[in-house]
Amino acid sequence: MLAALLYGQEDLRLEEVSDPTPAAGEVVIQVGAATTCGTDLKVWRRGGHARMLIPPTLFGHEAAGRIVAMGAGVTNWQVGDRIVANNSAPCMNCFFCQRKEYSLCPNLTWNNGTFAQYLKIPAPIVEHNLLQISDELPWELAAMTEPLACVLHGVARSNIKPKDKVVVLGDGAIGLMFVAALSETTEVLLWGGNNHRLEIGQKLGATQTFNYHQIPDIPSVVKELTQGWGADVVIEATGVPSVWETAIACARPGATVNLFGGCPRDTSITVSTEQLHYSELTLKGVFHNTPEYVRSALALIASRKIPFELLISEQRPLKDLEQVFSDMKARKVIKVAMIP
């Protein structure tokens, strides 16, 4: 089959590799659509990921498709079922899993390789994070279950109350998903650097949008809009250390700051101990998702209450993958549905 392999920094190659064969407990799917992700872009630019993969490796982690083969012992599934698989599953046995802190599991089973014609799903994911999708749900929407599950996990950890003023920093797919998930119950102020994406943010429910190229002093504007105090909740969705610091500067006393975007390895930020202590700030790092939020994410997508299709800039064949990543780097597209 044709598949994408990541060899290093911005070194992505399409190669012919052997079709996967399922071992006991595993299934193989024919990929209907694989969506690109900001995490994929960061991994491509940085040449690896501290947790999920080590090059050279099959690449991509968001996909939906149809089961074409099953290993021994697989029950409750049939060849032909339309499914979406999360890119990980917890072990369910360790210290953290026993406390239902599944995203902290040190034994997470990771799965990469969605940018290919076929994808093998490991047994732990088949057991805990393989979900059926309806015939009516387009592949590319179902494929967005994984990132939305991460966002819903982030929302749940952010101490958000109805009518809060929430600042979202970042107009990528994750930032826009946060807007969509929060706009029904809160007032969302979205900051980004691309007017087209900010327009999508408005369609997804942002109360106000701001282009930081035109208004660079983000904390001052946030305070002007919040009676001088700052936001109740701030969500950082860029993975840039300086923006982490900006997020903290936007927070009111007593606020929660969700430092959601993963920064490059070995980076650090500066935090005012006076502000942290006397303003009683809660700074949270939130990582990945859990089986609960995988299911919640698919249910929300399947409900069609939110037009998540706005995040899909286009569909492209797998042969165009390298160009797609160049377009993502140039911020010409948000998410692209790759059709093997």
Side-chain angles (χ1 to χ4, degrees), residues 36-87:
T36 62
C37 175
T39 298
D40 293 331
L41 179 63
K42 288 193 294 187
V43 171
W44 174 71
R45 296 182 71 173
R46 298 171 186 174
H49 189 284
R51 297 286 182 91
M52 290 198 304
L53 55 83
I54 300 173
T57 181
L58 293 167
F59 193 48
H61 69 280
E62 299 177 10
R66 193 182 302 276
I67 294 176
V68 293
M70 301 189 302
V74 174
T75 58
N76 302 319
W77 297 102
Q78 296 180 0
V79 170
D81 284 345
R82 300 177 90 245
I83 63 91
V84 62
N86 196 49
N87 71 323

Side-chain angles (χ1 to χ4, degrees), residues 85 197 201 219:
R197 294 172 183 232

Side-chain angles (χ1 to χ4, degrees), residues 2-262:
L2 186 66
L5 283 85
L6 182 71
Y7 279 85
Q9 191 171 6
E10 298 192 15
D11 186 1
L12 187 63
R13 310 176 197 176
L14 288 179
E15 299 181 358
E16 288 287 339
V17 301
S18 299
D19 291 353
T21 301
E26 298 180 337
V27 303
V28 170
I29 69 167
Q30 182 177 11
V31 176
T35 45
T36 62
C37 175
T39 298
D40 293 331
L41 179 63
K42 288 193 294 187
V43 171
W44 174 71
R45 296 182 71 173
R46 298 171 186 174
H49 189 284
R51 297 286 182 91
M52 290 198 304
L53 55 83
I54 300 173
T57 181
L58 293 167
F59 193 48
H61 69 280
E62 299 177 10
R66 193 182 302 276
I67 294 176
V68 293
M70 301 189 302
V74 174
T75 58
N76 302 319
W77 297 102
Q78 296 180 0
V79 170
D81 284 345
R82 300 177 90 245
I83 63 91
V84 62
N86 196 49
N87 71 323
S88 75
C91 73
M92 296 297 181
N93 297 313
C94 70
F95 173 90
F96 296 100
C97 288
Q98 291 300 307
R99 288 155 180 79
K100 297 184 178 181
E101 297 174 342
Y102 300 114
S103 59
L104 298 178
C105 173
N107 307 312
L108 280 169
T109 296
W110 294 103
N111 196 34
N112 292 280
T114 58
F115 298 131
Q117 293 173 301
Y118 298 96
L119 174 68
K120 184 167 68 173
I121 312 298
I125 298 177
V126 172
E127 183 177 359
H128 300 297
N129 269 334
L130 187 69
L131 305 180
Q132 190 153 17
I133 59 178
S134 69
D135 292 340
E136 295 76 28
L137 190 63
W139 296 123
E140 63 269 21
L141 291 184
M144 290 194 283
T145 297
E146 189 275 336
L148 182 59
C150 296
V151 166
L152 296 182
H153 180 210
V155 169
R157 299 286 298 280
S158 296
N159 302 323
I160 297 169
K161 302 176 183 64
K163 300 183 180 180
D164 271 353
K165 287 183 170 62
V166 180
V167 165
V168 175
L169 301 178
D171 58 5
I174 292 294
L176 293 171
M177 283 184 172
F178 267 109
V179 171
L182 292 169
S183 60
E184 187 173 346
T185 58
T186 66
E187 182 177 332
V188 183
L189 310 178
L190 172 64
W191 292 81
N194 182 292
N195 287 333
H196 173 63
R197 294 172 183 232
L198 293 173
E199 289 172 5
I200 292 175
Q202 289 179 326
K203 293 177 181 178
L204 292 173
T207 308
Q208 291 179 268
T209 61
F210 306 88
N211 190 317
Y212 66 81
H213 294 301
Q214 299 165 0
I215 309 174
D217 190 351
I218 298 174
S220 293
V221 174
V222 171
K223 289 178 180 178
E224 287 175 10
L225 296 169
T226 54
Q227 300 178 312
W229 292 116
D232 300 300
V233 177
V234 184
I235 294 170
E236 194 287 332
T238 72
V240 177
S242 62
V243 184
W244 279 34
E245 294 181 356
T246 298
I248 297 168
C250 290
R252 70 161 172 84
T256 295
V257 182
N258 182 341
L259 302 170
F260 191 86

